[in-house]
């Protein structure tokens, strides 16, 4: 009886994994005239917060390459960095002036494009 229960449990776990959505993956990060454009494999859910003067977006249970760059915007230079924090990815934006960000996303060619427009607070 125990072996039948164990097999049923394992089969149930395998079936559950088949129907799980894939992990969020950041595929590309590009600069555009108002901020950053990020490409994902599916729709992202980000949590924004201000930490020590930086604007930080947290993507839970996501993966992607660690990278960084600099934007030249009308509000000045903005340094950005995509970094790991355990199983999460953080997008950290640092500027001499406090920043506000506004997300707009759309699905294109089977991927999800999110544009982050930056402006001073």
């Amino acid at each position: 009886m125990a072996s039948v229960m164990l097999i049923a449990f394992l089969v149930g776990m395998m079936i559950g994994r088949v129907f799980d959505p894939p992990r969020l993956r950041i595929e590309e990060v590009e600069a555009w005239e108002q901020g950053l454009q990020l490409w994902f494999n599916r729709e992202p859910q980000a949590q924004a917060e201000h930490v020590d003067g930086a604007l930080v977006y947290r993507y839970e249970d996501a993966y992607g390459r660690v990278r960084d760059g600099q934007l030249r915007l009308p509000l000045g230079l903005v340094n950005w960095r995509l970094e790991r924090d355990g199983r999460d990815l953080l997008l950290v934006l640092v500027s001499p002036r406090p920043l506000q960000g506004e997300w707009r996303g759309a699905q294109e060619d089977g991927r999800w494009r999110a544009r982050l427009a930056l402006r001073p607070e």
Side-chain angles (χ1 to χ4, degrees):
M1 185 64 152
S3 62
V4 170
M5 289 174 46
L6 178 63
I7 291 172
F9 173 74
L10 292 174
V11 168
M13 292 290 291
M14 287 188 292
I15 291 172
R17 296 292 276 167
V18 169
F19 294 108
D20 267 352
R23 268 180 78 189
L24 181 65
R25 182 177 69 242
I26 297 178
E27 297 172 346
E28 294 178 51
V29 181
E30 304 166 341
W32 70 292
E33 64 269 2
Q34 296 178 13
L36 282 176
Q37 177 171 274
L38 293 90
W39 291 91
F40 298 89
N41 63 326
R42 63 178 176 88
E43 184 176 3
Q45 298 295 321
Q47 298 171 356
E49 55 191 51
H50 289 281
V51 178
D52 297 328
L55 178 59
V56 179
Y57 287 91
R58 177 179 296 275
Y59 301 97
E60 292 182 2
D61 195 25
Y63 65 99
R65 273 190 13 239
V66 172
R67 52 193 122 180
D68 58 10
Q70 191 173 60
L71 302 170
R72 292 189 185 277
L73 300 174
L75 63 97
L77 289 176
V78 177
N79 293 318
W80 63 270
R81 179 166 176 77
L82 192 61
E83 58 189 44
R84 298 222 52 77
D85 183 30
R87 290 184 57 102
D88 300 344
L89 275 178
L90 302 177
L91 174 60
V92 181
L93 300 143
V94 179
S95 172
R97 298 165 57 184
L99 293 173
Q100 270 304 53
E102 182 182 331
W103 281 104
R104 291 213 173 113
Q107 191 167 3
E108 289 184 17
D109 301 327
R111 300 188 306 168
W112 190 267
R113 182 196 72 212
R115 285 188 170 173
L116 174 60
L118 298 170
R119 63 181 189 285
E121 223 177 41

